[in-house]
Amino acid sequence: MLFFLGHIFPYITITVFLTGMTWRVLIWLNSPVPFQLTLFPAPQTFTGRVMSIGWEIISFESLWRGDRILWLWAWLMHGSLAVIIVGHIVGIYTLTLEFTLIGLSPGASSALSAGLGITAGIVCFLSLMVLFYRRTAIDEVKRLSDPVDYFVLLLLLAIVISGMHMRLTSLNIDLTAIRSYLAGILTLHPIPIPRTWIFVSHFTLVNILLLYFPFSKLFHGAGFVVNRGMLTEKPPIYPTPATRAGEARFS
Amino acid sequence: MKIKVPMYVAKPAELKAIGFSYTSESDQRDLAIKVMAELRNSMRSLMVMLETCTKCGNCARQCHSYLGTEDYNNFPAARAELLRRVYKRYFTWAGRIFGTFIGAEGFDEDTLGKWLTYFYQCNECRRCARFCPFGVDTAEITIMARHILSELGILPRFMQGIALNMKNTGNNMGIPKPAIMDSAQFMEDEMREETGLDIKIPVDKPNSDILYIPSSADFFTNVDTMLGVAKMFHVLGANWTIPSTILEAANFGLLFNYQVMRSHNLRLQQAARDLGARLVVQGECGHGWRAAKMYTEGCNGIFPFGLVHILEYCAAHLDRLRFKRLPLRVTLHDPCNYTRAGGVIEQPRKIIRACVEEFVEMTPNREDTFCCGGGSGILMDEMMDIRLKLGRKKVEQIQAVGDINYLAIPCSICKAQIPAVLKHHGIEKFEMGGVMDLVGKALVFDK
């Protein structure tokens, strides 16, 4: 079992995750946009288009305009998740010594790294709980929700809880061993997975999430960019330039 | 149709008259899926918008249709879900494998009845797209669903009637050419009486620079809009004409079937070519402006003419027009298809400010405007109860402005919907009409 979870499952996950993502985005981009769906007021230039999409990604402005409470918790959830993901990559790679690069002592760096990770973990946990509660508390959202909507939240919660378990309990997690294991996976020379049940659970849950990711609503990040791309397309100018003469975009 | 739908549905013989045919119940499911597959392959928006919703519910409180009817299926995400559940079942792996667990559902006997009921309670105003974090546009989903329904031969009789008029006469009202000539003559006489000037409304005049496309209602009920336009062109000394072959800015094809939209759009191009115009000017019609500006190129390829909206044209020529400001307090209802879907936002304000003494804004306005409740052709008499609910939010907005003398509603559908709704609420303290109406009344002529 551990051999499967440690040596085989991660590769299935990576393959499905990458091909699934690429496949779906390519199918989207391959289908034509016969009509400009510009939602005015629209940016006039390419830079403006990038800026408007970028600003929406950073600020969640549409939610801010609509529902400030939803905005707060959705923003906190995504923000803390981003901190956690970056923290995992940097923290594990440098063994929590990432802040020595800006002049901190190794001890201070580890402490800051832990502090940031714990804060982000707690914020993420709380915001997921609030989003879960919200789904059950608002009538129309409750009626709209399918089992999978709760499932996704529970899966994320399980990942956060198992991760925080390693942080907040007196378990002695050997970060060096985890790093060696992950490096083995990424360099295609896998070594046995560290026999810490909580790490194995955390790691397996993440694998399940990534496996399911390309087929689920979790894919909304990609949908966001493609959709916004259509809504910010430059409106046509008449007379139509002769360079575009010929075929109609829609037949 | 198992469930009761709120509108009269076109009968097979009526469908035949406009080149559509009814699909027997046993074939409906397969054909619906076939049409959905065609749309999926020819339009990115269908796929991305149906696959991206996270069901956050942010759209619920932003939709006048849901706020007015308080019917769950009019909540934009729930409305989209009517199509999305079927789409997931037949077009996604997750839907085929996990079924209802992930919200995928097969076709059942109520599916089409629900589509017909609720996709004809969406005004395609795009307000939800503005508030959706992902930009999921329910208008787009509604357009697709209505297209699928019409391909199955399911459409409101109201739409059928308009398509038939368009086919026979080139306008939604069904006005034949002799009646158009008579009306134009009548309006010319009226202007002569009023101003003492010989102001023309030229119909089918060859070698005209400008082709003006009015809404056919401007020849019937909203005559003042047409008079305003004619007076403005007269003062500017423009060489313009109106085509009898397409006396219609509206394009109901956008509201129920892509092919109808396309053929209608082709008439526009043909008329401009026949009359030698360089510039096409679209009259006061909301969705018609969207159809012309945003869909022309996609429908029929190269369009070798200029294309502007009458309010854009008028605003651009304001410095050549002189006005005697009318002693009115005026507010403006922003038609959704001008602001969110057509980019005509500041022009009507500029024009109104030049024409009247006081202009006040409605809240919310511009790209956050609420629809009048008639958008996307929901003007069926038999749906009056629902129309009143769809218009409720607009009425609240208008009342919140306080005392006004004139409500500017520069779109033919708004001009049909808002007065009806206000009358029902007993609000008749002010006049209503287009923006060009004001131009016509405030314009000063150099004799």
Side-chain angles (χ1 to χ4, degrees), chain A residues 24 28-29 31-32 37-38 40 65 134-135 140 143 146 148 217 224 227-228 236 238-240 250, chain B residues 44 49 51 54-56 66 72 85 101 103 126 130 132-134 262 293 297-298 303 305 339-340:
Chain A
R24 252 182 95 174
W28 284 349
L29 295 183
S31 61
L37 300 178
T38 319
F40 295 87
R65 276 200 303 264
R134 187 180 172 278
R135 205 165 268 294
E140 58 261 344
R143 200 167 156 192
D146 288 304
V148 72
K217 69 168 191 177
F224 171 97
N227 236 338
R228 293 266 161 193
Y238 297 97
T240 326
F250 174 68
Chain B
R44 185 183 300 167
M49 289 183 183
E51 293 176 18
T54 58
K55 303 184 184 170
C56 69
Y66 179 56
Y72 167 75
R85 295 181 92 78
F101 182 77
R126 308 187 85 197
R130 181 151 166 76
C132 174
F134 315 107
R262 195 175 186 197
K293 181 177 168 77
E297 193 191 7
F303 188 77
F305 314 99
T339 54
R340 284 185 290 270

Side-chain angles (χ1 to χ4, degrees), chain A residues 212 215-216, chain B residues 88 91-99 102 104:
Chain A
Y212 179 55
F215 310 101
S216 68
Chain B
K88 278 187 181 169
F91 294 97
T92 67
W93 288 7
R96 285 191 202 102
I97 299 167
F98 297 111
I102 67 136

